[in-house]
Amino acid sequence: MRRGVGISGLQHVAAANDNYKKIGNEVKQSNLQSMKNQMELFRSKLEEFALKHKNEIRKDPEFRARFHQMCANIGVDPLASNKGVWAKTLGIGDFYYELGVQIVEACWATRESSGGLIELTVLLRYINRRRGKLADPVSEDDVIRAMKKIRVLGNGQFEIVTIGKQQYIRSVPGELSMDSNKILEQAQVKGFVSKSEVVKVPGWSNARTDAALEGMVKQGLAWVDDQAPGGERLYWFPCLAVNQQS
Amino acid sequence: MDGASAFPYPSFFSFPPYFTLQPVKETRDKQSTLWGELILSFCKHFKIFIIAVEEDSFTLFCNPSINRKLNLEARRSFLDDLVKEGNALWLDASHQKCLILWKKVQEWASLIHSFAKTYGLSDFVMSVEELSSGDDVRGTDLQGLHREILIRALKLLESQGKAKLFQGATPDEEGVKFI
């Protein structure tokens, strides 16, 4: 198309642009439609797959985790609804619902010894023991998924908290402050800290350290120990203790 | 101590902060409950009836393996809580000696009363001492029961009309008749 000059030229260009836009949209629409078709196909194939491997999904935590990953990749959440194929035929919703209940129960049972913050691996051990040898074993991945569902239960309760390299479940309301988190991270090595070692960390003044430690003592997350050799008060964290009373 | 290795110490016994009296009330309450239960089960296991608070002869208050022990204030605090629940009694005004009631006085009284019924001891006067050291009590909880508890239990039964105590010239001659 020859580029015209003057008003008529401009009109030509405008018309050409409109045409391109229209064609562009049509192409987009048809792409979108075929993409939708593809997704539907994936979805129904996935349902087929799930039905066929229903038992494996229930019994094998690793297989289950991979299945979830597959679902996530195409935007399907088998736990999103109580209705439909997922819930009715596979009963996956039930599985996670039950697990959610068991998690809440486990948090309550161990609250005394853990102060409301319990290591994920410890919680998992407790739950699998309670479920018994005959039940399908659950994995950390399962617990994390179930946690997402039960989060709605609390006011900031039942959160997963990462401290250092470990993951913990917090089952009491109230945010774990950044400072508390930092102190727990430091305490992870020995299970306790002293004020003098916290103050050595850059940015930690006497006042800040006092406030953080006292806060954790008040919350019941920290217990004091006045008999350490050397005489300085130590702060111990039951939630970090390896031998949880479970 | 006989059978010391056989006593199942709970895991908190190896956790150093449990030997320091906790300043925060909620935490201290948890601590006191755990220690209270431990004291009762330890005393029941070894048939200890009296704790002399200031002496280390009662080994439960120390754990040498972690180099920790309960101080006097902590010991008295946990024992005071047991007293509040009816599971202990101070035997002196200065709170040096504590009588431990892993069974409460009423429970001991019921046990004695049903023992008496089992052996058809009604209307038969027996010496108080027999109730804790006679042949018939061997192997039962009554064996070795401390006199302080025994007398209190019998007095309770007396007040309930289930027994009658007789004073003798000496403690050996104290008698009881079950009704």
Side-chain angles (χ1 to χ4, degrees), chain B residues 47 49 102 108 131-134 137-146:
Chain B
K47 294 244 176 178
F49 297 96
W102 70 74
W108 284 115
L131 284 171
S132 62
S133 57
V137 300
R138 195 167 299 157
T140 71
D141 276 345
L142 289 178
Q143 186 185 13
L145 181 59
H146 199 280

PDB file of all heavy atoms in Angstrom, chain B residues 47 49 102 108 131-134 137-146:
ATOM      1  N   LYS B  47       8.109 -45.557  97.873  1.00  0.00           N
ATOM      2  CA  LYS B  47       7.434 -45.555  99.181  1.00  0.00           C
ATOM      3  C   LYS B  47       8.063 -44.537 100.130  1.00  0.00           C
ATOM      4  O   LYS B  47       8.419 -44.839 101.260  1.00  0.00           O
ATOM      5  CB  LYS B  47       7.459 -46.962  99.817  1.00  0.00           C
ATOM      6  CG  LYS B  47       6.652 -47.997  99.050  1.00  0.00           C
ATOM      7  CD  LYS B  47       5.495 -48.510  99.869  1.00  0.00           C
ATOM      8  CE  LYS B  47       4.633 -49.476  99.064  1.00  0.00           C
ATOM      9  NZ  LYS B  47       3.529 -50.064  99.778  1.00  0.00           N
ATOM     10  N   PHE B  49       7.445 -41.161 102.226  1.00  0.00           N
ATOM     11  CA  PHE B  49       6.300 -40.447 102.758  1.00  0.00           C
ATOM     12  C   PHE B  49       6.638 -39.047 103.242  1.00  0.00           C
ATOM     13  O   PHE B  49       5.771 -38.193 103.338  1.00  0.00           O
ATOM     14  CB  PHE B  49       5.668 -41.230 103.916  1.00  0.00           C
ATOM     15  CG  PHE B  49       5.128 -42.568 103.493  1.00  0.00           C
ATOM     16  CD1 PHE B  49       5.874 -43.724 103.643  1.00  0.00           C
ATOM     17  CD2 PHE B  49       3.880 -42.655 102.902  1.00  0.00           C
ATOM     18  CE1 PHE B  49       5.378 -44.961 103.226  1.00  0.00           C
ATOM     19  CE2 PHE B  49       3.374 -43.888 102.490  1.00  0.00           C
ATOM     20  CZ  PHE B  49       4.122 -45.040 102.648  1.00  0.00           C
ATOM     21  N   TRP B 102       0.538 -39.377  98.112  1.00  0.00           N
ATOM     22  CA  TRP B 102       0.234 -39.739  96.722  1.00  0.00           C
ATOM     23  C   TRP B 102      -1.162 -40.327  96.626  1.00  0.00           C
ATOM     24  O   TRP B 102      -1.777 -40.350  95.572  1.00  0.00           O
ATOM     25  CB  TRP B 102       1.312 -40.654  96.128  1.00  0.00           C
ATOM     26  CG  TRP B 102       1.362 -42.036  96.686  1.00  0.00           C
ATOM     27  CD1 TRP B 102       0.483 -43.053  96.453  1.00  0.00           C
ATOM     28  CD2 TRP B 102       2.332 -42.569  97.566  1.00  0.00           C
ATOM     29  NE1 TRP B 102       0.844 -44.171  97.131  1.00  0.00           N
ATOM     30  CE2 TRP B 102       1.992 -43.909  97.829  1.00  0.00           C
ATOM     31  CE3 TRP B 102       3.482 -42.051  98.161  1.00  0.00           C
ATOM     32  CZ2 TRP B 102       2.756 -44.736  98.663  1.00  0.00           C
ATOM     33  CZ3 TRP B 102       4.238 -42.873  98.975  1.00  0.00           C
ATOM     34  CH2 TRP B 102       3.868 -44.193  99.223  1.00  0.00           C
ATOM     35  N   TRP B 108      -6.704 -43.199 101.463  1.00  0.00           N
ATOM     36  CA  TRP B 108      -6.095 -44.156 102.393  1.00  0.00           C
ATOM     37  C   TRP B 108      -7.167 -44.708 103.331  1.00  0.00           C
ATOM     38  O   TRP B 108      -7.210 -45.920 103.596  1.00  0.00           O
ATOM     39  CB  TRP B 108      -4.976 -43.502 103.215  1.00  0.00           C
ATOM     40  CG  TRP B 108      -3.683 -43.294 102.468  1.00  0.00           C
ATOM     41  CD1 TRP B 108      -3.096 -42.114 102.141  1.00  0.00           C
ATOM     42  CD2 TRP B 108      -2.808 -44.316 101.972  1.00  0.00           C
ATOM     43  NE1 TRP B 108      -1.922 -42.318 101.465  1.00  0.00           N
ATOM     44  CE2 TRP B 108      -1.712 -43.655 101.349  1.00  0.00           C
ATOM     45  CE3 TRP B 108      -2.828 -45.715 101.987  1.00  0.00           C
ATOM     46  CZ2 TRP B 108      -0.652 -44.352 100.752  1.00  0.00           C
ATOM     47  CZ3 TRP B 108      -1.767 -46.408 101.387  1.00  0.00           C
ATOM     48  CH2 TRP B 108      -0.703 -45.725 100.780  1.00  0.00           C
ATOM     49  N   LEU B 131      -1.735 -52.589 110.967  1.00  0.00           N
ATOM     50  CA  LEU B 131      -2.290 -52.127 109.698  1.00  0.00           C
ATOM     51  C   LEU B 131      -1.214 -51.745 108.682  1.00  0.00           C
ATOM     52  O   LEU B 131      -1.475 -51.670 107.486  1.00  0.00           O
ATOM     53  CB  LEU B 131      -3.214 -50.919 109.921  1.00  0.00           C
ATOM     54  CG  LEU B 131      -4.577 -51.262 110.488  1.00  0.00           C
ATOM     55  CD1 LEU B 131      -5.331 -49.990 110.888  1.00  0.00           C
ATOM     56  CD2 LEU B 131      -5.392 -52.046 109.467  1.00  0.00           C
ATOM     57  N   SER B 132      -0.021 -51.493 109.194  1.00  0.00           N
ATOM     58  CA  SER B 132       1.025 -51.156 108.222  1.00  0.00           C
ATOM     59  C   SER B 132       2.153 -52.176 108.217  1.00  0.00           C
ATOM     60  O   SER B 132       2.979 -52.178 107.310  1.00  0.00           O
ATOM     61  CB  SER B 132       1.591 -49.763 108.505  1.00  0.00           C
ATOM     62  OG  SER B 132       2.181 -49.736 109.783  1.00  0.00           O
ATOM     63  N   SER B 133       2.178 -53.053 109.217  1.00  0.00           N
ATOM     64  CA  SER B 133       3.310 -53.987 109.221  1.00  0.00           C
ATOM     65  C   SER B 133       2.921 -55.427 109.493  1.00  0.00           C
ATOM     66  O   SER B 133       3.768 -56.277 109.609  1.00  0.00           O
ATOM     67  CB  SER B 133       4.345 -53.527 110.256  1.00  0.00           C
ATOM     68  OG  SER B 133       3.717 -53.433 111.509  1.00  0.00           O
ATOM     69  N   GLY B 134       1.648 -55.699 109.587  1.00  0.00           N
ATOM     70  CA  GLY B 134       1.235 -57.081 109.831  1.00  0.00           C
ATOM     71  C   GLY B 134       1.439 -57.950 108.601  1.00  0.00           C
ATOM     72  O   GLY B 134       1.672 -57.449 107.494  1.00  0.00           O
ATOM     73  N   VAL B 137      -0.904 -57.374 105.451  1.00  0.00           N
ATOM     74  CA  VAL B 137      -0.774 -56.227 104.534  1.00  0.00           C
ATOM     75  C   VAL B 137       0.422 -56.344 103.600  1.00  0.00           C
ATOM     76  O   VAL B 137       0.641 -55.490 102.745  1.00  0.00           O
ATOM     77  CB  VAL B 137      -0.692 -54.876 105.293  1.00  0.00           C
ATOM     78  CG1 VAL B 137      -1.932 -54.652 106.109  1.00  0.00           C
ATOM     79  CG2 VAL B 137       0.556 -54.814 106.145  1.00  0.00           C
ATOM     80  N   ARG B 138       1.164 -57.419 103.780  1.00  0.00           N
ATOM     81  CA  ARG B 138       2.356 -57.546 102.949  1.00  0.00           C
ATOM     82  C   ARG B 138       1.980 -57.558 101.472  1.00  0.00           C
ATOM     83  O   ARG B 138       1.059 -58.262 101.058  1.00  0.00           O
ATOM     84  CB  ARG B 138       3.108 -58.836 103.294  1.00  0.00           C
ATOM     85  CG  ARG B 138       4.527 -58.857 102.738  1.00  0.00           C
ATOM     86  CD  ARG B 138       5.343 -59.980 103.338  1.00  0.00           C
ATOM     87  NE  ARG B 138       5.479 -59.855 104.782  1.00  0.00           N
ATOM     88  CZ  ARG B 138       5.748 -60.882 105.586  1.00  0.00           C
ATOM     89  NH1 ARG B 138       5.891 -62.093 105.094  1.00  0.00           N
ATOM     90  NH2 ARG B 138       5.867 -60.699 106.890  1.00  0.00           N
ATOM     91  N   GLY B 139       2.701 -56.793 100.671  1.00  0.00           N
ATOM     92  CA  GLY B 139       2.426 -56.764  99.235  1.00  0.00           C
ATOM     93  C   GLY B 139       1.328 -55.784  98.841  1.00  0.00           C
ATOM     94  O   GLY B 139       1.074 -55.549  97.669  1.00  0.00           O
ATOM     95  N   THR B 140       0.650 -55.210  99.839  1.00  0.00           N
ATOM     96  CA  THR B 140      -0.374 -54.220  99.500  1.00  0.00           C
ATOM     97  C   THR B 140       0.181 -52.818  99.675  1.00  0.00           C
ATOM     98  O   THR B 140       1.265 -52.633 100.233  1.00  0.00           O
ATOM     99  CB  THR B 140      -1.614 -54.353 100.412  1.00  0.00           C
ATOM    100  OG1 THR B 140      -1.262 -53.913 101.730  1.00  0.00           O
ATOM    101  CG2 THR B 140      -2.102 -55.786 100.473  1.00  0.00           C
ATOM    102  N   ASP B 141      -0.598 -51.827  99.239  1.00  0.00           N
ATOM    103  CA  ASP B 141      -0.164 -50.438  99.401  1.00  0.00           C
ATOM    104  C   ASP B 141      -0.035 -50.047 100.863  1.00  0.00           C
ATOM    105  O   ASP B 141       0.698 -49.131 101.226  1.00  0.00           O
ATOM    106  CB  ASP B 141      -1.183 -49.487  98.736  1.00  0.00           C
ATOM    107  CG  ASP B 141      -0.924 -49.337  97.254  1.00  0.00           C
ATOM    108  OD1 ASP B 141       0.179 -49.720  96.802  1.00  0.00           O
ATOM    109  OD2 ASP B 141      -1.811 -48.838  96.555  1.00  0.00           O
ATOM    110  N   LEU B 142      -0.758 -50.771 101.731  1.00  0.00           N
ATOM    111  CA  LEU B 142      -0.741 -50.418 103.144  1.00  0.00           C
ATOM    112  C   LEU B 142       0.591 -50.724 103.817  1.00  0.00           C
ATOM    113  O   LEU B 142       0.933 -50.136 104.839  1.00  0.00           O
ATOM    114  CB  LEU B 142      -1.867 -51.152 103.891  1.00  0.00           C
ATOM    115  CG  LEU B 142      -3.293 -50.682 103.593  1.00  0.00           C
ATOM    116  CD1 LEU B 142      -4.297 -51.519 104.354  1.00  0.00           C
ATOM    117  CD2 LEU B 142      -3.456 -49.218 103.945  1.00  0.00           C
ATOM    118  N   GLN B 143       1.303 -51.654 103.207  1.00  0.00           N
ATOM    119  CA  GLN B 143       2.567 -52.049 103.832  1.00  0.00           C
ATOM    120  C   GLN B 143       3.530 -50.873 103.915  1.00  0.00           C
ATOM    121  O   GLN B 143       3.806 -50.211 102.924  1.00  0.00           O
ATOM    122  CB  GLN B 143       3.212 -53.175 103.035  1.00  0.00           C
ATOM    123  CG  GLN B 143       4.450 -53.736 103.721  1.00  0.00           C
ATOM    124  CD  GLN B 143       5.149 -54.771 102.857  1.00  0.00           C
ATOM    125  OE1 GLN B 143       4.861 -54.890 101.664  1.00  0.00           O
ATOM    126  NE2 GLN B 143       6.070 -55.500 103.452  1.00  0.00           N
ATOM    127  N   GLY B 144       4.022 -50.640 105.132  1.00  0.00           N
ATOM    128  CA  GLY B 144       4.987 -49.566 105.305  1.00  0.00           C
ATOM    129  C   GLY B 144       4.366 -48.188 105.347  1.00  0.00           C
ATOM    130  O   GLY B 144       5.074 -47.185 105.392  1.00  0.00           O
ATOM    131  N   LEU B 145       3.042 -48.109 105.371  1.00  0.00           N
ATOM    132  CA  LEU B 145       2.392 -46.792 105.407  1.00  0.00           C
ATOM    133  C   LEU B 145       2.844 -46.023 106.637  1.00  0.00           C
ATOM    134  O   LEU B 145       2.851 -46.533 107.747  1.00  0.00           O
ATOM    135  CB  LEU B 145       0.876 -46.974 105.409  1.00  0.00           C
ATOM    136  CG  LEU B 145       0.043 -45.687 105.431  1.00  0.00           C
ATOM    137  CD1 LEU B 145       0.366 -44.832 104.212  1.00  0.00           C
ATOM    138  CD2 LEU B 145      -1.439 -46.021 105.462  1.00  0.00           C
ATOM    139  N   HIS B 146       3.229 -44.800 106.422  1.00  0.00           N
ATOM    140  CA  HIS B 146       3.757 -43.987 107.514  1.00  0.00           C
ATOM    141  C   HIS B 146       2.689 -43.693 108.559  1.00  0.00           C
ATOM    142  O   HIS B 146       1.535 -43.410 108.229  1.00  0.00           O
ATOM    143  CB  HIS B 146       4.301 -42.677 106.946  1.00  0.00           C
ATOM    144  CG  HIS B 146       5.249 -41.961 107.864  1.00  0.00           C
ATOM    145  ND1 HIS B 146       4.806 -41.201 108.914  1.00  0.00           N
ATOM    146  CD2 HIS B 146       6.604 -41.919 107.870  1.00  0.00           C
ATOM    147  CE1 HIS B 146       5.860 -40.707 109.546  1.00  0.00           C
ATOM    148  NE2 HIS B 146       6.954 -41.121 108.943  1.00  0.00           N
TER     149      HIS B 146
END
